[in-house]
Amino acid sequence: MTDELDDDEARALRAQRIIEAVAAIPRGRVASYGAIAARAGYPGRARLIGRVLGDAPDRLKLPWHRVLRADGRIGIPAGTASYREQCKRLKAEGVTVKDGRVPMSAFGLDHDLDRAIWGMPGA
DNA sequence: CCGATGACTCTGC
DNA sequence: CGCAGAGCCATCG
């Protein structure tokens, strides 16, 4: 059909894959934007993740709060309502949040269970 | 078409 | 650990 709808579809597909990747993050764990992007099939497009999450409706009940920057920092501007909400949710899951930062060495997916969860060796 | 912006990441100093 | 620069990509004026 029209190219415009085609473009719209492509955008929806990106969002879909990204949303699924985010939803796959285990409770009590966190992942970086880059990791999600790669996992969704868009390596190098970390910014795309942030864009999609910001546009994603809350009714999807997406665990967006489990997505942090590569250094473990909250990816949202400090002081905003969303920022505080993310901190709150993480703590509620048992994730340590110190000064808006999470020790990914301990809660990151590539600490030890990386392949067990993301790699999906087939169990 | 170009410049600016941003829920990004990496490298170098 | 912090700062600057460069790469990256979609959206907006």
Side-chain angles (χ1 to χ4, degrees):
Chain A
M1 297 325 208
T2 67
D3 297 344
E4 292 179 20
L5 285 180
D6 194 31
D7 179 45
D8 188 39
E9 266 182 61
R11 188 172 39 128
L13 177 61
R14 291 186 319 200
Q16 182 59 49
R17 293 176 68 95
I18 291 170
I19 285 171
E20 286 185 19
V22 173
I25 305 174
R27 186 176 178 286
R29 288 244 179 167
V30 297
S32 70
Y33 292 95
I36 294 300
R39 185 62 190 149
Y42 301 100
R45 289 174 189 162
R47 296 190 119 125
L48 192 55
I49 309 303
R51 180 166 296 285
V52 171
L53 288 183
D55 187 44
D58 292 4
R59 59 182 177 68
L60 291 180
K61 294 192 170 90
L62 218 55
W64 57 269
H65 55 275
R66 295 181 192 145
V67 185
L68 312 171
R69 296 200 319 208
D71 60 357
R73 283 241 196 232
I74 301 286
I76 311 170
T80 63
S82 298
Y83 178 91
R84 287 191 296 278
E85 180 64 19
Q86 180 162 22
C87 276
K88 193 166 129 190
R89 291 193 186 189
L90 287 173
K91 290 177 182 174
E93 291 187 359
V95 176
T96 300
V97 182
K98 181 75 172 179
D99 296 324
R101 193 157 59 89
V102 173
M104 294 193 76
S105 352
F107 298 97
L109 291 173
D110 29 271
H111 180 232
D112 52 80
L113 307 182
D114 54 351
R115 306 179 193 82
I117 299 173
W118 297 97
M120 283 292 214

